[in-house]
Structures are given as structure tokens and as C-alpha cells.
Amino acid sequence: MKQFISVKDITNLNELVNEALALKKDPFAFETLGKGKTIGLVFLNSSLRTRMSSQKAAQNLGMEVMVLNAGQDAWNWEFEEGAIMNGTTVEHIKDAARVLSEYCDIIGIRCFAGLKNKEEDIQEKTLSLFMKYATVPVVSLESATLHPLQSLADCITIAEHPVTKPKPKVVLTWAPHIKSIPHAVANSFSEWMQASDVDFVITHPKGYELDEKYTQNAVVTTNQEEALKDADFVYVKNWSSFTDYGQVLPTKEDWMLTPEKLAVTNSAKIMHCLPVRRNVEVSDAVLDSENSLIYEQAKNRIYSAQVVFKKILEQL
Amino acid sequence: MKQFISVKDITNLNELVNEALALKKDPFAFETLGKGKTIGLVFLNSSLRTRMSSQKAAQNLGMEVMVLNAGQDAWNWEFEEGAIMNGTTVEHIKDAARVLSEYCDIIGIRCFAGLKNKEEDIQEKTLSLFMKYATVPVVSLESATLHPLQSLADCITIAEHPVTKPKPKVVLTWAPHIKSIPHAVANSFSEWMQASDVDFVITHPKGYELDEKYTQNAVVTTNQEEALKDADFVYVKNWSSFTDYGQVLPTKEDWMLTPEKLAVTNSAKIMHCLPVRRNVEVSDAVLDSENSLIYEQAKNRIYSAQVVFKKILEQL
Amino acid sequence: MKQFISVKDITNLNELVNEALALKKDPFAFETLGKGKTIGLVFLNSSLRTRMSSQKAAQNLGMEVMVLNAGQDAWNWEFEEGAIMNGTTVEHIKDAARVLSEYCDIIGIRCFAGLKNKEEDIQEKTLSLFMKYATVPVVSLESATLHPLQSLADCITIAEHPVTKPKPKVVLTWAPHIKSIPHAVANSFSEWMQASDVDFVITHPKGYELDEKYTQNAVVTTNQEEALKDADFVYVKNWSSFTDYGQVLPTKEDWMLTPEKLAVTNSAKIMHCLPVRRNVEVSDAVLDSENSLIYEQAKNRIYSAQVVFKKILEQL
């Protein structure tokens, strides 16, 4: 593996998931693979789960970890080629990416959507420019449009809960939130589910359609109840409007996931990437039920990162 | 050891101190005990000594260390069970504690008293909820009411300076400060001294009585001179009023510790947990004298943490 | 080596450079030399290159690294001996330095010039007081007047590009900037070039004379074109006025380095310590040319730090 920024960077999802599950059973099986190698984790945005799981994954492989907290204000990058840098930007992204490449064998970078400029976000301005100039493999720790390490962890979690029917039904359901939230987790989950052997349905209120680029082969409905019927896995996530870019639109119905709504499912397992606004996105009764996989997903973030780092290390 | 939040978590203080002193002589004697284990150090408040000594202690035992600087503003936890999280809190403490437990084998957490809400502080709201939900051993890196790693380091330091009489006289004396300071160090020192084979006296101005829960078997006096008489160890510390909770009350007499006041002691050794407001709490002449143990205390923070982590690792 | 704060702390520059180049070829040759040793990296100012290269250098030698981000506001040190600390300072530098010495075998510290008080900066108030009280070897990670780890990396870089004439001509040329920038890199480069076997010339606009202490044996001219003639290496750097201390003075001519200006050089290699204000200090065409050594300099920061840490470890 030469980079990991979307599902397109993997060759066989089933094999990758199985390899991750093998690492979960024996996390230190490759404890010397990363000896003498350094991973740099660059956070342009805050992080808890990604920060800790990536660090642990790298340490399990014997790598050294260097964390760089680069708040966008504190380390203001210039993005324009040829810019006369007499303003507020202090370093060109081309220099930042090249210099970090001198110190790291792999670079993980987190760069959220700003949700202000749709074109910049869609084009992954920060990630794509960083990768253009970096000379070592780059791993996305969540970019403007995708969060592949989360999605791989989600696939691992689903694989740990096999169903008796040929294909599980997996539903991604929009949930309410008080803030404007990026599309990366939803886009990415959709992308990975379409690469999986599952029946995949997306449900959300009108106006919350995701970028079609990520949903083209998915069943999409604004009828939450219909979507939830016979579901085996229900993935709950808020996102802001893509059409009215970054806006929080008013919704008439109550989209919070409750035990009542789950009655029509096939005793569905519940998933959420966390952090979760309890009793806004999902009720406590659902999150704290036996069917909740939220902490298993969090744990699997370790093995999703570890299998990716392992694949990259093997080709360094 | 399953947790370390107060003196009640240890079984034999003398044995623990001797084990710490053995680690001080040979810090790497158990350098593989923590191999493959990760300690997470979560700081809701700032830290220098605790941060560095805990990190070094863990590294001496071969553990991996992950530090999480979680300013209370930056990562606003919800504490209420059943809360509808449509406000400023972004993650419920139950989710934070559970997720961190997935990534760490031991969690250290620092959560100071807010000094605004007496009941919340006395009940150790943050620490107790965190421990309720965490699924791995928790070590206090200073909580609202206690600072046990500091107190254990203090016991180690006292043990390194044996006296010729049967029991040393140890005095905890209040000292002036310009800010409102929590009671944790004073409460904790009192608790550990009462578990030690020493004559223990607390002295402070009227109005600065500590929570009786921690001072019940101690001699308490508002006469500093009488308290200091024949003292072998003098521990200097400011704390705010407990009765007028969190307030800085005016004091008539001068409570700063000076060489003159020490004349009545038995050439007492001087202790302070640092940082110290020089020439406000204690005079330079005292802090920089041969009898000052302040830097030895700081060094012993390593071995106090190391012996605690070792005890916990042995029972994982 | 007992400390590393200027060129005076080394005995033989050529040998040191050769030892660094040997480490570059085999970075893990001494991977157990630092086993059980801890380096503390204390940043009173922000850092990217120094932070990451020092960390990697220490890890290559098997050391543990503890990073302390001590913003000057967050951890306000008292500097005055005998001060009554009833104001905004929370810890005396003597206590900070002594306590850090208890936890670290080597301490690296970054303390920029404030550019407000010339005397304080010239006297290296922070660094010199810190070293007075620290009880372990101290390494400058850039102080008020010097940046020796950068200069050593620059010497390594120059050594990797031998010229055919007996001595290379090295030119330090002032460059425009919109902010008030310290003199440390320029002073330090001048100091190390005068200790090297090179023809060294400094050029800058009138009013930008450096402290003579660092330039006494150098040729200094305000004629940039004359300075650049036949140059083999051109080091570009902005600094504020030393005479009008910390001021940005207006300059009539255009001092930005461009390909046109380089025509009179001997196909000079271009150096800059980064970060660089592109098209303000130097044009893109120069920075991105084949002759640019800026990323090699960044990489050599690892080996400059590594050789210094190695020398110190060998004498611990």
C-alpha cells in the first residue's frame, strides 16, 4: 500500500478485514516490523480516538510516533502556488509537506472540511496539495470528504457480528445535531459499504442528500421507518446539508434513534463513530443496550490503523 | 492494586515505601514488566511535575505512554445521566471513560477542584464518575480532594531522613498565597501522615480548618509557633478556606515560613510540593537552605508513581 | 561535551561534521547508547523542525523523549533573585530548572529573543539563568542570540557539497520580511562560518548591521551584488535591526533573492533555515531550483542534533 485516503487504496476488503482481526488476536505479532521507522501524526483539527488509536497501532508495530498539533491558526499554511507570502501565512504547504517527509517514514494527516467553501472541500484542497508535495506515504486521519480509518474499523466491527442470512442489511440513518457537521464519516461509510457484501440503505430528511459520488449504488430513502425495516446494523450519524452547503436545515419529523424505531429491525446492532450527542442523535436506551457496538468500533480503530500501517511498512 | 486514589488503596505503607526506595536504587529492575502495556495520562488541568514524573515512571517499567491534554473547555464533558446533550457538552463522561479504557491498560487522570461548588468537589464528581465508567484501573494524578502520588512521594522523602527519636514530629503549616488554592495536597498529606508512625500536627489561621474527614486524628492548632516547636519536618502549603469555600480570608499574623520561625524546631527539614511562591509562602533562606528537601520530593515523584504502576501491572 | 549553546562548546568542527555524516549513513549505529536516558525538550516558543528533528535524533540513540510545551504565558517564570512572588509569576526559574534536572539526563530548551529589551536578549537572560540552576547538560534549541543546532546542520550541508576551489565562498544575505525577526540564525551562522574554512561575506542594507560580537572577522558589505559575485553558497535570512533594536526599517533597494541576482554567482547553492516567506525573502524560482539545499538542511537537523546528543551521552 502506497497511501490510504479512500477505499480505492485497498485491493481486497475481506482479506484486509481478516488481517486486522488477526492483529486484534495477536497485536504484537509484528512488533519489530516498524523498528527504526517513524510515523508523524499531523492534526490540523482536534482528535481523541484517532490520536490515541493511531499512536497505539504504530507502537504495536514497533514504530516511533511523533505527534504534531498544528492548529490551523497556529501554523497558517499558504496553499497558492506562486503566492507572494507577505500576509498571514507563515509556511507554504509545499515546504511543510517536504520537511515533514524528511523526518517521517509515514505521515498521517487530519484536515477537516471547513464547510465554508464547497469546491475547496470537494477537491480536498489541503490533503491533495499535501500529498502532491510529500515524498512519503500519506494516511488520511479524516479529510474534508472521507474518514477511511473509521470506515475500515466499521467493516471490522460488522465482520465480528455475522448474520444468518446471506447478506446483512446495513442502514445509515441521519440523526439530529445542533452543530454543522462535515460529511466525511457518512460519505466514507457509504463508500465502504458499497464495497462490502451487504444490502446498504441510506435514509435522511429531504435536503440532506449526500454527494452522489459516494451514494450512486446505494438505496436512498427519506422514509426512516421503511429503511429500518429488517435492518441488521443501524449506523447513526449526523451531517449538514450538502446542497445548502454546511447548513443545518429544519426537520419536521423526529429523526433521533429510539428503541421504538428499532422495533421494526432484525434486533439491529447499533453503530456510531463517537463522540455522540446522547438523547439528541440517539437515545441512551439505544446506546447503552446490549445491541450497541459503539465501544467495539472505538477499539477496532486500533486494528484498522494497525493493518494499514502494516501494509504500508511492508512496501517501504 | 486495582486503583490508586487515596491511602485506602494501599495495604502496607512501610512496605510500599521500601519498595519505592528499592526502585530508586534500581529504576530499570522491572523494565519489561510493562512491555506491551499502555498508560493514558489524561490532564483536565495543567501539570509539570506530575506529567513528567508519571511519564518517566511508566517508561522505567517499559510501558508506552499516551498523554491527552484535555482542557476542560476544549473537551467539555457531560456529567448528568440521561442528559439531552443539545448544549455545550460534546461527549458524555461515560463514553470518554469507556473509550479511553479500550486504548489504555491503566488510566491516570488529573481533575482539580473547581472551588466553586463545594458538594461537587467533596463528592469527587469527575473522578468518581470517570471511575464508574472506566473498565481499567484508574490512578489519581490529583483529584478535587486528594493528591496521593504527591503524598506517597512525601512519605518516601521522610523515610530517607530517619530521626533519632522514636517518632519524628511532622508539622503541616498553612502559608500565605495570593490565589485561591485547592485543599488536595493538604488533605492528602494529612491522610498519609495519620497512616504513618509520626507525631502529626496541623497549624493554620482561624477560618482555614480543613475538612474534618481528613484531620480527625491529627492535633490541630492555630498557634504556629507552638506547632513548630521541636518539629523534625515542616511541610509548607497554602490552601483556601474550606468553610468559606474557596475563599482567601485575610490573616492578621504573618504566616510565611522564615529562618526565625524555624529556630524553635529540631533543625527541621523543609518540605513543599512545588511550585512555590518564594518569599510569600516561604522565604528564600528557608527554601535554599541545607535542610530543604523540595527537590528530593520532586525526584521521589518518579518512584511514587513507579511503585504504584508496578503494583497495578502485577495484578492486570 | 557538557553543554551545547554555541560554537565554543565544540572542539573540532571538521571531526564533528564527519561524525554527523557517519550517523546519517548509519543512524542506528548507537541505538543503545541512550538506553535508560531521558531528554526533556522544553519549548517556551513554537517549533516544528527543531521539535521533530530533536525527537528523532534522541530516538535514534535509544533515548526516551519528554516534550514540555511551556508557553511563556502558561508557565510564567520568575527571573529575579530574591523576588517576592506575589504577582503573576508562578514558579521561579531556579525551581523549574532544578526540578526538570531531576527528571531528565539532558535538557533542550528553546527561548527566543523577545526583541523588546536589548540587554536582556544580549545577556541571554532566560538561557543563562536556566543553565545556572540546571544540574544536567543543557542544549540550546535556539536562544535569544544563537541557534547552534541549525548552524551545525548548515555546516553538515555545506560539507556534503564540496567545491573545486580551495575554499568555498559563502554569502549570508539579508532578505525582506514583514515581521520583526530575531538575529539568532544570522548570528549563529556567522559564528560557525568563521570557525569554518570558507571565505565568508555578509551583506545587508544599511541599518541592519549584526552585533559585531558575531561578525568581527567577516567581510561585511551593503552591496549585495558585489557580495554575491562568485559565491558558492548563498544563505538567505531576514533579521530585524540590531541598532534600532527589533525594528523593521524601510529599505530602498529590492533585497529579495532572484535568479537574476544569482547570475553573478558560481552557480551558487541556496540555503535557508525555513520557514521561508516565498516571493518575499526568496523567489520560488530560486527555492525550487536544482541548486536549492533547503530540504537537505532540514534533514540534516536530525544529524546535527544526534551528534550533539551522542557527544553529551558519552560524557554523562
Side-chain angles (χ1 to χ4, degrees):
Chain A
M1 202 181 289
K2 295 294 190 188
Q3 64 178 38
F4 185 74
I5 62 167
S6 87
V7 77
K8 289 172 194 144
D9 295 311
I10 69 167
T11 45
N12 186 316
L13 178 51
N14 279 341
E15 278 179 26
L16 197 67
V17 165
N18 287 334
E19 199 167 339
L21 288 170
L23 287 171
K24 189 173 183 178
K25 272 194 199 131
D26 188 4
F28 303 108
F30 299 86
E31 65 182 342
T32 60
L33 180 65
K35 194 170 177 314
K37 303 294 184 198
T38 299
I39 187 165
L41 303 174
V42 182
F43 292 97
L44 300 183
N45 311 95
S46 62
S47 168
L48 164 65
R49 272 151 282 271
T50 298
R51 175 187 304 270
M52 298 193 90
S53 60
S54 301
Q55 212 170 320
K56 198 168 169 74
Q59 288 167 345
N60 285 352
L61 294 165
M63 303 185 82
E64 299 286 356
V65 181
M66 299 202 294
V67 177
L68 199 64
N69 294 311
Q72 242 153 349
D73 293 338
W75 189 23
N76 219 351
W77 284 346
E78 176 61 52
F79 291 98
E80 299 311 319
E81 186 68 37
I84 297 169
M85 290 173 61
N86 58 1
T88 56
T89 57
V90 301
E91 182 148 35
H92 200 287
I93 191 171
K94 79 160 76 169
D95 294 322
R98 273 296 305 271
V99 166
L100 288 169
S101 299
E102 302 294 346
Y103 300 146
C104 303
D105 300 285
I106 304 173
I107 300 174
I109 183 166
R110 163 161 286 196
C111 44
F112 284 176
L115 294 180
K116 304 287 180 196
N117 184 324
K118 191 172 181 173
E119 282 314 302
E120 281 189 5
D121 288 347
I122 290 178
Q123 292 164 16
E124 292 282 5
K125 188 179 171 189
T126 303
L127 181 65
S128 60
L129 276 177
F130 191 89
M131 292 180 70
K132 176 177 173 185
Y133 296 115
T135 58
V136 299
V138 171
V139 174
S140 164
L141 306 175
E142 186 172 339
S143 66
T145 63
L146 293 170
H147 192 357
L149 285 176
Q150 178 67 53
S151 302
L152 175 52
D154 298 334
C155 290
I156 296 167
T157 308
I158 289 172
E160 289 184 301
H161 295 276
V163 294
T164 48
K165 51 188 162 184
K167 287 181 182 193
K169 179 176 179 185
V170 181
V171 178
L172 170 62
T173 181
W174 184 91
H177 202 290
I178 62 161
K179 287 198 171 171
S180 184
I181 302 289
H183 310 89
V185 170
N187 286 342
S188 195
F189 185 69
S190 183
E191 195 181 63
W192 287 70
M193 282 305 104
Q194 289 176 71
S196 300
D197 199 22
V198 303
D199 286 324
F200 182 54
V201 178
I202 303 171
T203 182
H204 55 69
K206 202 161 154 31
Y208 280 101
E209 292 73 23
L210 290 167
D211 186 347
E212 286 185 8
K213 182 176 166 190
Y214 303 108
T215 62
Q216 43 198 352
N217 299 315
V219 175
V220 182
T221 168
T222 57
N223 185 332
Q224 190 186 32
E225 186 178 351
E226 186 185 290
L228 292 175
K229 208 176 167 199
D230 299 322
D232 297 291
F233 296 88
V234 178
Y235 201 100
V236 194
K237 185 75 188 87
N238 168 268
W239 60 87
S240 55
S241 176
F242 181 70
T243 318
D244 284 341
Y245 195 64
Q247 297 304 302
V248 176
L249 311 176
T251 47
K252 284 181 198 162
E253 317 87 10
D254 182 6
W255 279 77
M256 180 171 82
L257 197 68
T258 58
E260 295 68 39
K261 290 188 179 170
L262 288 173
V264 302
T265 70
N266 183 28
S267 298
K269 304 289 185 190
I270 306 305
M271 301 178 75
H272 191 288
C273 64
L274 301 182
V276 60
R277 294 273 182 153
R278 284 173 169 264
N279 303 309
V280 175
E281 297 180 72
V282 196
S283 74
D284 278 344
V286 173
L287 288 168
D288 298 334
S289 75
E290 278 196 358
N291 278 355
S292 172
L293 304 182
I294 57 175
Y295 303 126
E296 296 182 31
Q297 285 173 271
K299 184 167 195 73
N300 284 333
R301 292 294 307 274
I302 301 170
Y303 309 105
S304 123
Q306 193 171 339
V307 75
V308 166
F309 298 165
K310 175 175 177 284
K311 288 284 188 196
I312 293 175
L313 282 172
E314 286 167 349
Q315 292 196 17
L316 277 188
Chain B
M1 201 182 288
K2 295 294 188 188
Q3 63 178 37
F4 185 73
I5 61 167
S6 87
V7 76
K8 290 171 193 143
D9 294 312
I10 69 166
T11 46
N12 187 316
L13 177 51
N14 280 340
E15 279 179 25
L16 197 67
V17 166
N18 286 333
E19 199 166 338
L21 289 170
L23 288 171
K24 190 174 183 176
K25 272 194 199 130
D26 189 4
F28 302 108
F30 299 87
E31 65 181 342
T32 60
L33 180 65
K35 194 171 178 311
K37 303 294 185 197
T38 299
I39 187 165
L41 302 175
V42 181
F43 292 96
L44 299 183
N45 311 96
S46 61
S47 169
L48 163 65
R49 272 151 283 269
T50 298
R51 175 187 304 270
M52 298 194 90
S53 60
S54 301
Q55 213 169 319
K56 196 166 171 75
Q59 289 167 344
N60 285 351
L61 294 165
M63 302 185 81
E64 299 286 357
V65 180
M66 299 201 295
V67 177
L68 199 64
N69 294 310
Q72 241 153 350
D73 293 339
W75 189 22
N76 218 350
W77 283 348
E78 176 61 51
F79 291 98
E80 300 311 319
E81 187 67 38
I84 297 168
M85 290 173 61
N86 58 2
T88 57
T89 57
V90 301
E91 180 145 39
H92 200 285
I93 190 171
K94 78 159 78 170
D95 294 322
R98 274 298 305 271
V99 166
L100 288 170
S101 298
E102 302 295 345
Y103 301 147
C104 304
D105 300 285
I106 303 174
I107 301 174
I109 183 167
R110 162 161 286 196
C111 44
F112 285 175
L115 295 180
K116 304 287 182 196
N117 184 324
K118 190 172 182 173
E119 283 314 301
E120 281 190 4
D121 287 348
I122 290 177
Q123 292 165 15
E124 292 282 6
K125 189 179 169 188
T126 303
L127 180 65
S128 60
L129 276 176
F130 191 89
M131 292 181 72
K132 177 177 172 185
Y133 296 117
T135 58
V136 299
V138 171
V139 173
S140 164
L141 305 175
E142 186 173 338
S143 66
T145 63
L146 294 170
H147 193 358
L149 285 175
Q150 177 67 53
S151 302
L152 176 51
D154 297 335
C155 290
I156 296 167
T157 308
I158 289 172
E160 290 184 301
H161 295 276
V163 293
T164 49
K165 51 189 164 184
K167 289 182 181 189
K169 180 176 178 183
V170 181
V171 178
L172 170 63
T173 182
W174 184 91
H177 202 290
I178 63 160
K179 286 199 171 170
S180 184
I181 302 288
H183 309 89
V185 170
N187 286 343
S188 196
F189 186 70
S190 183
E191 196 182 63
W192 287 69
M193 282 304 105
Q194 290 176 71
S196 300
D197 198 22
V198 303
D199 287 325
F200 183 55
V201 178
I202 304 172
T203 183
H204 56 70
K206 203 163 153 31
Y208 279 101
E209 293 72 25
L210 291 166
D211 186 346
E212 286 183 7
K213 183 175 167 191
Y214 303 108
T215 61
Q216 41 196 353
N217 298 315
V219 175
V220 182
T221 171
T222 56
N223 185 330
Q224 191 186 31
E225 185 178 351
E226 187 185 290
L228 292 175
K229 211 178 163 197
D230 299 323
D232 298 292
F233 296 88
V234 177
Y235 200 101
V236 194
K237 185 76 189 84
N238 168 268
W239 58 87
S240 56
S241 175
F242 180 70
T243 318
D244 285 341
Y245 194 65
Q247 297 305 301
V248 176
L249 311 176
T251 47
K252 284 181 200 161
E253 317 88 10
D254 181 8
W255 279 77
M256 181 171 81
L257 197 68
T258 57
E260 294 70 37
K261 289 186 179 171
L262 288 172
V264 300
T265 70
N266 182 29
S267 299
K269 303 290 186 191
I270 306 305
M271 302 177 74
H272 191 289
C273 63
L274 303 182
V276 61
R277 294 274 182 153
R278 284 173 170 263
N279 303 309
V280 174
E281 297 179 73
V282 197
S283 73
D284 279 343
V286 173
L287 287 167
D288 299 334
S289 76
E290 279 196 355
N291 278 355
S292 173
L293 304 181
I294 57 175
Y295 303 126
E296 296 183 30
Q297 285 173 272
K299 183 167 196 74
N300 284 333
R301 292 294 308 274
I302 302 170
Y303 309 105
S304 123
Q306 194 171 340
V307 76
V308 166
F309 298 164
K310 174 173 177 285
K311 288 285 189 195
I312 292 174
L313 283 171
E314 286 168 347
Q315 292 196 16
L316 276 189
Chain C
M1 201 182 290
K2 295 296 189 187
Q3 64 178 35
F4 185 73
I5 61 168
S6 86
V7 77
K8 289 172 193 142
D9 294 313
I10 69 166
T11 45
N12 186 316
L13 178 51
N14 279 341
E15 279 179 27
L16 197 68
V17 166
N18 286 333
E19 199 166 338
L21 288 171
L23 288 171
K24 190 174 182 176
K25 270 194 200 131
D26 189 3
F28 303 109
F30 298 87
E31 66 182 341
T32 61
L33 179 66
K35 193 170 178 313
K37 303 294 184 198
T38 299
I39 188 165
L41 303 175
V42 181
F43 292 97
L44 299 183
N45 311 94
S46 62
S47 169
L48 162 65
R49 272 152 282 270
T50 299
R51 176 187 304 270
M52 298 194 90
S53 60
S54 301
Q55 212 169 320
K56 196 166 171 76
Q59 289 167 345
N60 286 352
L61 294 165
M63 302 185 81
E64 299 286 356
V65 181
M66 299 202 294
V67 176
L68 199 64
N69 295 310
Q72 241 152 351
D73 292 338
W75 188 23
N76 218 351
W77 284 347
E78 176 61 52
F79 291 98
E80 300 309 320
E81 187 68 37
I84 297 170
M85 290 174 60
N86 59 1
T88 56
T89 58
V90 301
E91 182 147 36
H92 200 286
I93 191 171
K94 79 159 76 168
D95 294 323
R98 273 298 305 271
V99 166
L100 288 169
S101 299
E102 301 295 346
Y103 300 146
C104 304
D105 299 286
I106 303 174
I107 301 173
I109 183 166
R110 162 161 287 196
C111 44
F112 285 176
L115 294 181
K116 304 287 182 197
N117 184 324
K118 191 172 183 172
E119 281 314 302
E120 281 189 5
D121 287 348
I122 290 177
Q123 291 164 16
E124 292 282 5
K125 189 179 170 189
T126 303
L127 180 65
S128 59
L129 276 175
F130 191 88
M131 292 181 72
K132 177 178 173 185
Y133 295 116
T135 58
V136 299
V138 172
V139 173
S140 165
L141 305 175
E142 186 172 339
S143 66
T145 62
L146 293 170
H147 192 358
L149 286 175
Q150 177 66 54
S151 302
L152 175 51
D154 297 335
C155 290
I156 296 167
T157 308
I158 290 172
E160 290 184 301
H161 295 276
V163 293
T164 48
K165 52 188 161 184
K167 289 180 180 192
K169 179 176 179 184
V170 181
V171 178
L172 170 62
T173 181
W174 184 91
H177 202 291
I178 63 160
K179 286 197 172 173
S180 184
I181 301 289
H183 310 89
V185 170
N187 286 342
S188 195
F189 186 69
S190 182
E191 196 182 62
W192 287 70
M193 282 305 104
Q194 289 176 71
S196 300
D197 199 23
V198 303
D199 287 324
F200 182 55
V201 178
I202 304 172
T203 183
H204 55 69
K206 203 162 152 33
Y208 280 101
E209 292 72 25
L210 290 167
D211 187 347
E212 287 184 6
K213 184 176 165 190
Y214 303 108
T215 61
Q216 41 198 351
N217 299 314
V219 175
V220 182
T221 169
T222 57
N223 185 331
Q224 191 186 32
E225 185 177 353
E226 186 185 291
L228 291 176
K229 208 176 166 200
D230 299 323
D232 298 291
F233 296 89
V234 177
Y235 201 100
V236 193
K237 184 77 188 85
N238 168 268
W239 59 87
S240 55
S241 176
F242 181 70
T243 318
D244 284 341
Y245 194 65
Q247 298 305 302
V248 176
L249 310 177
T251 48
K252 284 182 201 163
E253 317 88 10
D254 182 7
W255 278 77
M256 181 171 83
L257 197 69
T258 58
E260 294 68 38
K261 289 188 180 171
L262 289 173
V264 300
T265 70
N266 183 27
S267 297
K269 304 289 187 190
I270 305 305
M271 303 178 74
H272 191 288
C273 64
L274 303 181
V276 61
R277 295 274 183 152
R278 285 173 169 264
N279 304 310
V280 175
E281 297 179 72
V282 196
S283 74
D284 278 344
V286 173
L287 287 168
D288 298 334
S289 75
E290 278 196 357
N291 278 355
S292 172
L293 303 181
I294 57 175
Y295 304 127
E296 296 182 31
Q297 284 172 273
K299 183 166 194 73
N300 284 333
R301 290 294 308 273
I302 302 170
Y303 309 104
S304 124
Q306 193 171 339
V307 76
V308 166
F309 298 164
K310 174 174 178 283
K311 288 285 188 196
I312 292 175
L313 283 171
E314 286 168 348
Q315 292 196 15
L316 276 187

